[in-house]
Amino acid sequence: MTTIDWDAAAGTFDEEPDHGLRDPGVRRAWAERMRHWLPPAPSDVLDLGCGTGSLALLAAEQGHRVTAVDLSPRMADAARRKLAGTTAEVLTGPAERPPVGDRRFDAVLVRHVLWVLPDPEAALAHWASLLRPGGRLVLVEGVWDGSGLPASRLIGALGPLSRRIDHERLSDVPGLWGRPVHDERYALVARTGPVPYDETADEATDKTTGGITGEVVGAAPVRHREVVDVHLVLRRGDDVLLARRSGTGYADGLWHGPSGHVEDGEDVRAAMVREAYEEIGVAFAPEDLRVALVMQHRGPGDPPRTGWFFEAVHGKGGEPYNREPHKCSELAWHPLAALPDDMVAYCRAAFEAYRRGERFVLHWHEDDDPVGHDPDLPVRAVPLPMTGVSPAGW
């Protein structure tokens, strides 16, 4: 626990660029992050350890109903002055046990507070109890000058409290701090409650409908529709990056490439750019990607789907890291020529086909096949021949 006289600090607190947000560029950077972290619709937001109210003001300006709390009377007074003219309420009290009675919130926002508390884990548990079903904890923390909390500690504490945790590195975003920083700074967004359809595990499908909708008009046949997914073959020399699935309900414990579903109105390349950033924090430009392979695949007892596999080279877009610890227990590089056996079967088959130079493949499981690769089973991958005729020769 760190002891700081916050009343004494209140007078100069806003002089730090990320505290007062007086620089328009810094303010815009935090406002953009807040739009991403907080619910998209106007919501009840609890800002704990609000300081002089800079983030509370951004949330209020974005249409949220804000309750701000700070232990320091002078900080709370400064926040009231800053929030004058908004509907925000400012209370004085401890962040770990805020004086909000039995009220519940859609989001609890906490920036640089946990590191000074004597029992961060107990505080997180209490804050989670203040959320409505489906609510979220938004935590901005870090490690600096030997103080602070590493992300791994908070991710471990949030695991039993959350259904999903998004981890975002902030150290390499100087626009947030008004200067370059070289320590560990990060945001965690932990969500509670039931899992909406669009946040289910990347490879999971609705077992009632198979993730496929059909329509019948009169006596017309049902038109076949497929889920389209995207997969990243990230190369570092002769190695590829794999992620071990965890907590998804599908193929947990097995290795798989970073992947996800194409969303409505999204092309496959845009989907791969988005998924790569969401899962491993790498910001590819569309032109960084090359089509590696297209595979139509069917899991055991599941409907068919089509996967686009894209190749990219390590070093572009940033260093990969695990941004979704609620769905991935680790990232690791593996030789493309010696892939692990404990890998999702169709993904391993696709990577092996890619290494052989095959570009269009079918992979059809039998209903009693395991999801994971089994070297004793018959090979299910069938490469499709490509035309050798050039359009110019027609």
Side-chain angles (χ1 to χ4, degrees):
M1 176 181 178
T2 300
T3 301
I4 298 174
D5 186 344
W6 294 110
D7 269 341
T12 59
F13 189 76
D14 278 355
E15 293 177 5
E16 286 293 320
D18 57 307
H19 292 171
L21 308 186
R22 292 167 174 169
D23 179 273
V26 174
R27 196 173 196 277
R28 282 195 301 270
W30 280 101
E32 182 59 32
R33 284 306 197 282
M34 294 279 282
R35 289 189 191 96
H36 175 67
W37 295 334
L38 295 177
S43 304
D44 293 314
V45 175
L46 178 61
D47 182 1
L48 297 177
C50 68
T52 60
S54 295
L55 294 191
L57 179 58
L58 292 180
E61 290 174 343
Q62 292 174 11
H64 298 292
R65 300 173 294 274
V66 179
T67 301
V69 178
D70 202 277
L71 180 64
S72 161
R74 289 191 64 194
M75 288 284 194
D77 285 343
R80 291 186 187 98
R81 291 192 297 271
K82 190 173 290 187
L83 290 160
T86 74
T87 60
E89 177 186 17
V90 181
L91 305 175
T92 303
E96 58 266 48
R97 291 281 170 172
V100 294
D102 59 359
R103 295 165 60 187
R104 294 297 178 265
F105 300 85
D106 301 302
V108 173
L109 170 67
V110 191
R111 181 176 70 164
H112 296 165
V113 172
L114 275 167
W115 73 286
V116 300
L117 299 184
D119 191 343
E121 286 77 10
L124 289 173
H126 183 65
W127 296 342
S129 75
L130 300 177
L131 291 170
R132 296 187 178 114
R136 61 183 72 182
L137 288 174
V138 180
L139 310 174
V140 180
E141 287 293 338
V143 178
W144 49 86
D145 298 329
S147 300
L149 297 168
S152 57
R153 176 175 172 181
L154 297 189
I155 289 169
L158 289 167
L161 306 173
S162 315
R163 62 168 170 81
R164 169 177 177 148
I165 305 169
D166 292 310
H167 174 205
E168 184 174 352
R169 285 181 178 171
L170 303 179
S171 302
D172 52 357
V173 188
L176 292 172
W177 316 109
R179 63 187 185 282
V181 297
H182 304 288
D183 41 38
E184 180 185 3
R185 305 194 187 192
Y186 59 86
L188 299 175
V189 180
R191 309 188 193 205
T192 63
V195 183
Y197 175 76
D198 63 355
E199 292 181 2
T200 52
D202 287 343
E203 300 305 324
T205 58
D206 183 326
K207 296 303 180 183
T208 302
T209 66
I212 294 177
T213 59
E215 55 185 41
V216 178
V217 181
V222 175
R223 180 175 293 175
H224 172 71
R225 297 182 181 181
E226 288 190 0
V227 171
V228 178
D229 45 46
V230 291
H231 306 257
L232 183 63
V233 184
L234 184 58
R235 297 287 302 268
R236 188 181 68 178
D238 294 330
D239 294 342
V240 291
L241 185 71
L242 299 179
R244 191 183 292 278
R245 298 181 64 86
S246 174
T248 69
Y250 174 87
D252 290 333
L254 298 179
W255 292 103
H256 197 280
S259 61
H261 295 160
V262 178
E263 297 179 351
D264 284 344
E266 190 175 47
D267 66 57
V268 291
R269 191 168 64 166
M272 188 74 269
V273 169
R274 173 181 53 77
E275 289 288 348
Y277 183 73
E278 290 178 357
E279 294 196 8
I280 60 173
V282 176
F284 289 119
E287 57 269 21
D288 294 332
L289 303 174
R290 299 289 183 271
V291 177
L293 176 139
V294 178
M295 170 185 276
Q296 190 188 36
H297 56 100
R298 175 188 180 273
D302 285 337
R305 53 206 296 156
T306 297
W308 286 71
F309 290 73
F310 288 91
E311 178 194 64
V313 178
H314 173 253
K316 292 188 175 182
E319 187 67 22
Y321 69 102
N322 185 5
R323 282 202 69 195
E324 296 186 321
H326 60 289
K327 293 194 293 188
C328 172
S329 61
E330 61 177 314
L331 300 177
W333 297 94
H334 295 262
L336 182 59
L339 295 168
D341 281 340
D342 55 338
M343 190 170 176
V344 174
Y346 83 84
C347 181
R348 176 171 166 138
F351 277 49
E352 290 178 338
Y354 158 76
R355 184 171 64 89
R356 292 192 297 266
E358 297 160 2
R359 294 297 176 259
F360 301 95
V361 180
L362 297 177
H363 190 276
W364 229 246
H365 274 294
E366 298 294 332
D367 286 346
D368 58 352
D369 283 351
V371 171
H373 170 69
D374 185 342
D376 295 328
L377 284 179
V379 175
R380 303 300 188 197
V382 178
L384 302 180
M386 295 180 289
T387 178
V389 178
S390 168
W394 290 8

